[in-house]
Amino acid sequence: MTDTLNTKELKRFAAVNRSVKKVDGVALVTGQPVYTDDFDVPGALHVKLVRSPHAHAIIKEIDVSRALKIPGVVTILTYKDLPRIPFTRAGQGYPEPSPYDTFVLDRKVRYVGDPVAIVAAETEKAARLGAKAVKVEYEVLDAVLDFEQATNEDAPIIHDEPEAIGIHDASKNIAAHFEMEIGNIDEALESCDKVITRTYHTKTQLHAMMEPHASISYFDPNGRLTVITSTQVPFHARRILSRIFNIPIGDIRVIKPRIGGGFGGKQAVHLEPYVVAVTLKTKRPARLVFDRSEVSMSTNIRHEMKYTVTVGATSDGKIKVIDMKGLSNTGAYGEHALTTFMVSGSKTLPIYNKVEAVRFSGDVVYTNLPSAGAYRGYGAPQGLFALDCTIDELAHELGLDPLVVKEKNSIREGESSPIFRIMGEGREGVDQIVRSCKLQECIDKGKEAIGWSEKRGKVARRGNKVRGIGCAIAMQGSGIAKIDMGAATIKMNEDGSFNLLLGATDLGTGSDTIMAQIAAEVLEVDYDKIKVYSSDTDMTPFDTGAYASSTTYVSGNAVRKAAEMVKERILEKAAVYLEEPVENLRVKNAKVVSLNTDREVTYEELCTKLFYTFEQEQIAATASYVGEESPPPFLASFAEVEVDLETGKIELVKFVSYADCGTPLNPVQALGQLEGATVQGIGWALFEDVIYGKDGRMLTNDFFTYKIPTRMDYGKLECGFVDSYEPTGPFGAKSIAEIGIDTPIPAIANAIYDATGVRLRKAPFNSEELFFEILKKEV
Amino acid sequence: MKLELNVNGKVHSVDINPGEMLLDVLRRLGYKSVRRSCDNASCGNCTVLVDGKPILSCTTFAARAAGHKIETVESLAEEGNLHPIQESLLETGGAQCGFCIPGFTLTTKALLEENPEPTEEEIREALNGNLCRCTGYESQIRAILNLVKKRGGLSDD
């Protein structure tokens, strides 16, 4: 299976590498009630949270008496009513690398929006009125609102609770710290002809998925706790709920219905504990749906990061040293603090694997701002902005084509990087060779599409408007090697269909569909004969969940293994049934056929006989898969921008991204992932700007103030794939969901420089700032 | 107050609070395809057609819709046949998470009824108010362009 296959063999695929329609597509386009909030549970209490108006405060007193008198209010819970068990909301492999620094409710609040009380009522209106009537008296504390001041001597300590576990240095507000060095930085710098040091700052971003987070909990007729929830991590949610409320894992069932987008924003337990607390207290069903401002302020946002990068090279552009020193802002709680920080190095530094010395270090700090967490790209875009643009600057200073410098120093097929071994996620990584890398093909296609050779370095000016182009190259991973595990169960039905039960979590990504395609490819049936049921902790086998670009590679390999086991069993039974040696038999078009005789049996006939009259047995198999490696997809992106020199207004004229994701198992769905991630990255680069008030309140918590791209806001978009085959992937596949968001910021920054000669080192890029920089240059 | 609402040709007699929005009443009546996302008229997810015109049900009083013809996506796929817009969306992968799709589909339906052969620019403009966070819009635009082409529309670029 590890032999390199050429792309000609792709043509032999019957079910994968085809753009079949999504298995849940009809339900989605006809508007069926498939999301959490669409489930009507009779008698459910409506839950509302009372939230802190202060960024940092201690609750002196909570008076719920007036609220309890409001007709319809059933119960109100405060920190006094809940178990004081520290946990992390982050949905990660256990034990989690994130600090246990959170309680369902605490006496201390750490950002504007931190929950203070849970109100449950017969109607939504009563719950809302009840929440308003809860009286809270606070002792307001000084707050840390600038992450660069979090470690100051006089900064207030945000996490002084003695129960917290795993905080790197709570007294200095440092949630996590990481450092590593390979080779000798100082010696290598000595031998360079050119060394530059630059600082790049990437602000936060909101997930802004269309479906607001929602959870419903109830006891089923047998007294088992059931939670229907919009989550990317049902099995982690079950484990975390079990810990918080001391309920055996087996007594909790978590169901993920269809999800209206996640992007990392649902990779944590955001509202499950609140509804469960109400159900436990009242024995009644409870439902909670966040409103848009809660989705924005009180779930997770992206980690804001600032990197100072030193790059040294020879005069002909051979990069010899990279040193990245970073600071990351995790906000009020440390979800994904260490791991997003490590990924900003581990998914960028291996691109430039020919260096003699490389160092990566820094802190992740707490602030009294909304809590950062997982978000598509998971640190890689912030790291890449700093690294790619510093290399771009270096190339310009050496008088070289930045694309040539990036190309010449980048990793190639068959090569490795020591980073793979040293930097994992929260711990050591895994040594690996890059078995598939068609980065050069991505560069060549993109270069052609943007017109790199003709346009680069030439000022195209029309009136007040100038145009410029820029490039960036990126990598990601495919799951977390030796940590992420996915499992699948396949069982055969007597009409020749199969149930595919899997833990993997389809958030709208189309993973249920490609999992069906993988099973269909192995079993030689149409993909609609594979009946997928996913993400229900009672009914499906385990899966760590949908994150880290893992599903296609990790869960996909599990499905392939399970299908192969089922196929083997079908052949064994058919051999007895047809009275032929098993080595003469093959599966073909939903039948078992003999290569030697004309004997054959359909799946339908075989399974019916197996159920009722012949060697009675249910053919089924469960397989698990843990990635031994995490094969990186690669990407080359190019931006063309137009800047109005009189106003600084930036228009994106064209954006091109070509990716190597191995075999795209469903090309239309894969393209949708790349296009979607690219436009999310373009929005972040140009106008998705989170702004806080002086009191730390997020002011941009709706779509009027936080502007995500519409159909009119980006220029021409060209996305595509190059031929590639990852030998360890299911039918040659690697990941595609995250990588597209890595490049828009650096590619656009580099294009703005090409157009104007101005380097913008803080993203998102703002026209006013560019305008003043242009003025400064002209003076 | 009591109200009669004509939804997809069916007349519902409902009790509402005078301040209630159409979105809340429709969801209460079981029309769950009408989605709440922003709740302040900035995302287009709650779009329904009133007398054939797209409106945002999150900021339209239910009482205002009385006496008018309300259409939701539930009315489109009749007897198991998908509406051509829905079919086209499935082909181009225009529905990823699917949450925005009902609003998108209804706005598209209204556009094509008014302008059966829109250019790409006109499509983008008409759908500018329907936010989607998954697709990057391109597959949805392709879905409409394909449909227009299939119907013999111009859209020659």
Side-chain angles (χ1 to χ4, degrees), chain A residues 21-22 25-26 28-33 35 37-38 40 205-212 259-261 263 292 375 507-508 668-669 671-673 675-676 679-680 688 702-704 708-712 714 717, chain B residues 27 32-33 35-38 40-43 45 73-74 77 82 86-87 89-93 95-102 104 121 124-125 127-128 130-142:
Chain A
K21 292 175 192 167
K22 276 164 67 114
V26 172
L28 297 182
V29 299
T30 56
Q32 298 300 308
Y35 305 97
D37 188 32
D38 298 340
D40 287 329
Q205 185 184 19
L206 305 186
H207 301 82
M209 70 294 275
M210 290 298 112
E211 181 207 21
I259 298 298
F263 318 115
R292 183 53 57 183
Y375 193 146
L507 324 174
V668 154
Q669 300 302 333
L671 184 65
Q673 288 300 307
E675 288 177 340
V679 172
Q680 240 173 51
E688 292 185 27
D702 62 25
F703 292 133
F704 284 117
I708 68 169
T710 72
R711 291 170 172 79
M712 308 287 282
Y714 55 95
L717 189 67
Chain B
R27 285 189 64 83
K32 304 282 190 187
S33 73
R35 304 265 157 71
R36 187 193 315 275
S37 179
C38 73
N40 70 355
S42 57
C43 76
N45 280 214
V73 151
E74 278 88 350
L82 292 179
Q86 296 171 323
E87 195 64 58
L89 277 169
L90 289 182
E91 275 162 20
T92 62
Q96 279 186 29
C97 84
F99 201 79
C100 71
I101 291 301
F104 168 89
E121 209 43 41
R124 285 183 188 272
E125 210 172 312
L127 286 153
N128 201 25
N130 288 84
L131 295 183
C132 165
R133 190 60 159 170
C134 292
T135 61
Y137 301 114
E138 294 296 292
S139 52
Q140 299 180 342
I141 303 288
R142 282 194 287 274

Side-chain angles (χ1 to χ4, degrees), chain A residues 280-300:
Chain A
L280 292 177
K281 170 86 188 289
T282 61
K283 313 289 176 235
R284 287 181 59 179
R287 64 186 302 136
L288 172 55
V289 183
F290 279 173
D291 65 29
R292 183 53 57 183
S293 75
E294 290 177 298
V295 172
S296 303
M297 297 166 64
S298 302
T299 56
N300 278 146

